[in-house]
Amino acid sequence: MANNIAAQRIQREFKEVIKSDEVAKCAIRVELVNDNYTELKGEIAGPPDTPYEGGNFVLEIKVPETYPFNPPKVRFITKIWHPNISSVTGAICLDILRDQWAAAMTLRTVLLSLQALMAAAEPDDPQDAVVAKQYKDDQEMFRLTAKHWTAKYAGGPGGNPDFEMKIRRLTDMGVEEDQARVALSSYNWDLERATEQLFS
Amino acid sequence: MASILEIIFELINNMLQFFRLGKKSISNSLNIYIKSNTGSTLSIELDPKWDIKNVKEVIAPKLGLPPNEVKIIFAGKELDDSITIEECDLGEQSILHAVQSRSQSKRSRPLSESVANLQLSNISENDDSSSTIEEQLESSEEKGIKNTHFYVYCSQPCKSVRVGKLRVRCANCHSGALTVDSDPSCWDDVLKSNRITAHCEETRCETGPVSFAEFFFKCAEHTSQGEKDEAVPLYLIRPNISHVPCLACTDISDPVLVFSCEERHVTCLDCFRQYCVTRLRERQFVSDDRLGYTLPCPAGCENSLIEECHHFRLLTSEQYQMYQRFGAEEYVLKAGGVLCPQPGCGAGIIIDTDCKRVQCVGGCGVRSH
């Protein structure tokens, strides 16, 4: 019975997303991961006029047995540089996925809310403190970093030769690429400080 | 020879029986009590096919009154002569009130009949947006819904959620010999006191002829056990006349649970149970000072706490026990008390402020500091 309500509900929401205008505009997408509707794969297009524009972000959506009375468990699979999303685990800090969840919300509203979160970060309620600090202290640095991450992980446009060069310097020293990128991003692309942190 | 005589005898006997019962032979009898306003109670067998006129003819001689001076009152209405017993939704051992009256008052169908068809809304009368009873009646008839039910929690003897019947009595003397001046048009009329005026026929009643109606509910699924046999109305459970889908599973079921939030969010009963169990396991119920241990609308609306905690009787008895236990524990903790740490003891202790050492006396005897 418990599973039935959740599965039945997800089935309908799945159809709702597929038929929605946003799918027609390629803004959101969902795919089934297994047959019993307990896990799905979501996709969000990076919103226009943000550093995420042009990127495609994949989400892991796990539906609890107690759905829709408890929220789905959602995290970013695609690495993203955002104050409310962990740059390491992809965990999301969003009120509707926690205590503000209501049974009337759906997969569609969750995906759209995440898209809205990407367009309007909440640095005062951060998931990733390092990103949030950069966002508050140096907006331009944040924008460039987020854009670089989008190009690297989400298939976004444009590269950043300066950033690429710095990463290569670190990988040449034997540092793993993702690790190098996190360190450099965290230290505002200051190669010296990133190196110091990595080898201390 | 003997056999022929026997046949003739039987024939005569049958004819006699036919005459004795006349046109009113009882095919399917119903035992009903007739209570008069002079205090006497008669027990009679009625045929559900009889109309009220027949009933008056049968009981008038027993009360020593002419049939045309008898008023039959049931569920807040004087019954019209043409109504049949089966139309009145009378259960076995129901009570009809017979009062003497020369004056002809407005006769009508019983309250249970006229009100049963209504979707008693939570909206108050003065709310302009609410449709009139007639509109509601029409719309429910259009959709072919004949008998809309009330749902109650029957604590004795059914111990479960049942279909209920709406009944009315005098707010002052509690007599059922009362006719209401108007039908209740919303749940507030039924649940709050002194909203519907009525005419009490009880001679002993001190308020005089004008009184207020007090509504109550009976379980429709067991034989009435007298006037004290009542059930708790589960007024959030309603027939789903406008086919609203459940907000959780999106199925359209009937009946449904309608939350008291402004949006009137609806869940089916299965989803309501699931919702309660989910919140219960996480101890996410709300401990409200006025209402007790309860839940809001699952859509998270404001002012949507369930006020009548008997709605949680929709849970299985094990789940309900869990609800009661958690509710009691929350209460003890909220009142500054402690719970006995011994597993399974379950005792709650309210301690004095200067007390440093507590012993669980009533429960298991475990000591803690």
Side-chain angles (χ1 to χ4, degrees):
Chain A
M1 166 101 67
N3 289 326
N4 280 346
I5 293 175
Q8 201 178 340
R9 165 77 179 245
I10 285 293
Q11 222 164 331
R12 299 209 189 200
E13 288 182 23
F14 183 72
K15 285 181 192 144
E16 180 202 39
V17 175
I18 288 182
K19 282 190 212 139
S20 67
D21 293 346
E22 292 83 24
V23 163
K25 285 185 267 168
C26 302
I28 58 171
R29 247 180 78 180
V30 277
E31 257 173 56
L32 290 172
V33 172
N34 58 14
D35 288 339
N36 49 10
Y37 290 89
T38 54
E39 197 175 331
L40 296 100
K41 195 176 107 179
E43 274 179 50
I44 312 176
D49 303 320
T50 68
Y52 312 106
E53 185 172 4
N56 189 40
F57 297 84
V58 180
L59 300 156
E60 174 191 87
I61 304 170
K62 287 190 170 163
V63 182
E65 263 185 36
T66 51
Y67 190 81
F69 302 113
N70 281 338
K73 292 182 175 61
V74 187
R75 75 179 183 97
F76 275 81
I77 302 269
T78 307
K79 285 184 174 295
I80 181 170
W81 191 252
H82 187 285
N84 304 105
I85 302 157
S86 165
S87 57
V88 184
T89 63
I92 304 162
C93 176
L94 180 61
D95 54 358
I96 64 152
L97 292 176
R98 296 177 183 200
D99 54 339
Q100 292 301 303
W101 170 257
M105 293 175 185
T106 65
L107 287 176
R108 184 175 156 267
T109 55
V110 166
L111 293 178
L112 294 178
S113 301
L114 286 172
Q115 205 174 30
L117 181 71
M118 288 166 84
E122 304 253 6
D124 292 325
D125 186 18
Q127 175 74 34
D128 195 312
V130 176
V131 186
K133 190 171 182 307
Q134 188 183 66
Y135 183 93
K136 284 164 109 173
D137 295 348
D138 191 344
Q139 274 275 342
E140 182 56 19
M141 181 59 76
F142 165 78
R143 203 187 59 78
L144 287 172
T145 310
K147 200 167 157 49
H148 170 72
W149 279 56
T150 305
K152 206 67 215 168
Y153 297 114
N160 191 317
D162 177 40
F163 291 175
E164 294 293 345
M165 186 268 289
K166 285 173 176 166
I167 289 168
R168 210 168 310 120
R169 291 277 294 279
L170 284 174
T171 51
D172 288 347
M173 288 186 249
V175 179
E176 206 238 319
E177 190 188 319
D178 286 346
Q179 214 181 346
R181 185 171 290 108
V182 171
L184 284 163
S185 301
S186 303
Y187 287 100
N188 294 341
W189 300 91
D190 182 329
L191 187 59
E192 227 166 277
R193 288 182 61 200
T195 317
E196 203 176 296
Q197 189 253 328
L198 282 166
F199 291 98
S200 67
Chain B
M1 260 324 245
S3 66
I4 290 171
L5 269 176
E6 237 172 59
I7 289 167
I8 292 169
F9 186 75
E10 213 173 81
L11 255 171
I12 293 168
N13 210 4
N14 280 349
M15 280 168 79
L16 273 175
Q17 212 160 36
F18 185 73
F19 275 111
R20 212 180 300 145
L21 290 171
K23 60 179 191 283
K24 284 173 265 168
S25 67
I26 295 176
S27 55
N28 182 13
S29 83
L30 191 63
N31 190 275
I32 299 287
Y33 294 108
I34 304 280
K35 211 169 171 182
S36 79
N37 58 343
T38 55
S40 60
T41 305
L42 302 170
S43 169
I44 57 163
E45 297 279 317
L46 294 179
D47 185 324
K49 296 263 183 286
W50 288 2
D51 60 22
I52 295 301
K53 198 164 186 295
N54 296 144
V55 176
K56 286 180 179 174
E57 282 163 4
V58 171
I59 63 165
K62 297 189 181 173
L63 296 168
L65 296 168
N68 59 357
E69 282 184 24
V70 175
K71 278 208 263 192
I72 302 283
I73 295 173
F74 176 65
K77 293 295 174 76
E78 185 192 343
L79 300 182
D80 190 84
D81 279 352
S82 64
I83 300 173
T84 64
I85 297 295
E86 58 188 356
E87 285 178 290
C88 296
D89 178 30
L90 272 182
E92 189 77 23
Q93 293 173 17
S94 293
I95 297 169
L96 287 179
H97 294 267
V99 296
Q100 185 186 12
S101 163
R102 279 183 192 91
S103 66
Q104 275 283 347
S105 64
K106 201 180 80 189
R107 291 176 177 181
S108 60
R109 311 183 74 74
L111 186 65
S112 50
E113 261 264 307
S114 53
V115 179
N117 286 332
L118 302 181
Q119 261 280 62
L120 281 179
S121 65
N122 247 350
I123 305 158
S124 304
E125 286 166 298
N126 49 12
D127 193 328
D128 292 332
S129 63
S130 70
S131 55
T132 66
I133 299 167
E134 281 74 19
E135 280 168 12
Q136 290 181 32
L137 258 177
E138 251 174 43
S139 68
S140 66
E141 266 166 25
E142 265 170 23
K143 282 163 190 152
I145 294 154
K146 277 277 171 280
N147 245 324
T148 293
H149 290 296
F150 298 105
Y151 295 87
V152 295
Y153 175 69
C154 174
S155 57
Q156 282 296 338
C158 304
K159 294 192 176 69
S160 65
V161 177
R162 294 286 196 230
V163 170
K165 304 185 280 195
L166 176 65
R167 295 293 181 257
V168 63
R169 64 192 167 206
C170 172
N172 179 53
C173 72
H174 291 215
S175 163
L178 175 103
T179 52
V180 291
D181 295 335
S182 57
D183 286 347
S185 59
C186 59
W187 270 104
D188 275 356
D189 285 351
V190 173
L191 300 173
K192 292 183 179 165
S193 53
N194 296 357
R195 288 181 63 115
I196 301 283
T197 56
H199 183 86
C200 183
E201 301 280 358
E202 183 63 49
T203 45
R204 289 173 294 127
C205 185
E206 285 152 10
T207 52
V210 177
S211 180
F212 281 106
E214 182 178 276
F215 294 94
F216 64 103
F217 287 82
K218 289 179 95 97
C219 169
E221 288 174 45
H222 70 263
T223 304
S224 176
Q225 299 179 330
E227 283 178 323
K228 292 222 168 72
D229 182 18
E230 284 184 39
V232 189
L234 302 181
Y235 51 87
L236 297 181
I237 308 177
R238 315 224 178 124
N240 194 359
I241 287 172
S242 31
H243 305 289
V244 183
C246 165
L247 83 87
C249 69
T250 65
D251 273 349
I252 296 169
S253 4
D254 192 25
V256 288
L257 196 120
V258 184
F259 285 88
S260 52
C261 51
E262 225 168 273
E263 289 84 358
R264 307 249 169 272
H265 282 125
V266 161
T267 63
C268 66
L269 300 187
D270 276 345
C271 285
F272 175 70
R273 290 187 190 100
Q274 175 70 27
Y275 171 52
C276 293
V277 170
T278 304
R279 286 289 175 277
L280 201 55
R281 294 219 172 105
E282 294 165 356
R283 293 228 179 199
Q284 291 282 318
F285 269 56
V286 178
S287 258
D288 187 272
D289 288 339
R290 189 171 60 89
L291 307 173
Y293 204 47
T294 187
L295 278 180
C297 164
C301 305
E302 281 179 21
N303 303 321
S304 61
L305 289 175
I306 293 174
E307 300 202 5
E308 176 53 82
C309 288
H310 282 94
H311 283 102
F312 298 116
R313 284 285 185 179
L314 282 165
L315 297 170
T316 65
S317 58
E318 274 162 35
Q319 290 162 348
Y320 190 76
Q321 272 171 17
M322 182 155 85
Y323 162 77
Q324 283 182 310
R325 185 159 56 85
F326 286 4
E329 285 174 5
E330 290 298 326
Y331 182 81
V332 170
L333 294 174
K334 215 177 162 184
V338 290
L339 299 169
C340 177
Q342 175 88 345
C345 170
I349 306 150
I350 310 274
I351 26 176
D352 301 330
T353 43
D354 55 346
C355 177
K356 295 224 166 59
R357 193 186 168 98
V358 178
Q359 183 167 8
C360 177
V361 182
C364 58
V366 158
R367 252 168 267 184
S368 61
H369 302 272

